Amino acid sequence: DDSEFIGWRMIDRFAGFRYEVSGDVQDVGFQQAARGKADELACFGWIQDTVRGTLVGEARCAKVVAPTFKEWLRVGPASARVSDLTIFDYPDTKIRLHFSHFKILTPDRDTCFPEPPHQCGDGASDALDATSSRASSSDSPHSEL
């Protein structure tokens, strides 16, 4: 019985999720505003432009503020027009690309996943190949892959 540990487990304290934001969201200050909101809420993770014109990323926040960050992503800054937000909540709270702060990634950084949101190419094979090549990279800033 681990009921005595409820409240101390990572899943009780943190929420990790992946997201994709669609609409008029690129080149309108969305990434910078997202980083500011994440910093305000003490969330860490990343955000990135895609070739499809969307923004993708991951975030890990205290469980009590994660809904606030998700809601902010649904609206974005006043300069953006969000038409859709897709979120995948991680059951174990761990995000794949783990940074100590909220980072804006360059578009050339490979961040594909085997399933939506942000599934790239033909899906799982592209994402798994990318994960394998990243895992062997010695200059990777990731503590979790």
Side-chain angles (χ1 to χ4, degrees):
D1 177 28
D2 51 320
S3 61
E4 65 188 89
F5 298 110
I6 292 176
W8 290 100
R9 300 174 302 181
M10 294 300 261
I11 59 172
D12 296 327
R13 295 181 291 147
F14 295 100
F17 57 94
R18 183 170 68 244
Y19 58 89
E20 184 162 18
V21 185
S22 303
D24 183 14
V25 294
Q26 288 189 0
D27 302 318
V28 294
F30 197 111
Q31 291 181 336
Q32 295 77 8
R35 181 174 54 196
K37 189 65 171 179
D39 289 348
E40 174 189 320
L41 298 172
C43 299
F44 59 87
W46 56 274
I47 191 165
Q48 179 186 49
D49 285 341
T50 70
V51 296
R52 294 185 305 280
T54 63
L55 292 171
V56 295
E58 291 181 297
R60 189 173 188 199
C61 307
K63 199 167 215 163
V64 296
V65 299
T68 302
F69 191 53
K70 289 176 182 179
E71 197 52 43
W72 185 91
L73 289 169
R74 189 172 309 286
V75 177
S79 55
R81 297 291 172 258
V82 177
S83 61
D84 192 34
L85 172 66
T86 304
I87 292 177
F88 173 76
D89 289 300
Y90 293 124
D92 64 2
T93 80
K94 293 180 182 176
I95 61 176
R96 187 175 84 178
L97 304 181
H98 187 223
F99 299 98
S100 61
H101 59 287
F102 198 84
K103 186 170 177 77
I104 297 173
L105 299 182
T106 59
D108 60 332
R109 177 81 182 254
D110 181 14
T111 59
C112 292
F113 289 87
E115 68 284 320
H118 192 38
Q119 180 180 18
C120 300
D122 66 358
S125 63
D126 287 347
L128 293 175
D129 290 346
T131 300
S132 298
S133 66
R134 272 195 306 277
S136 64
S137 172
S138 61
D139 62 9
S140 174
H142 309 109
S143 62
E144 300 173 26
L145 281 179

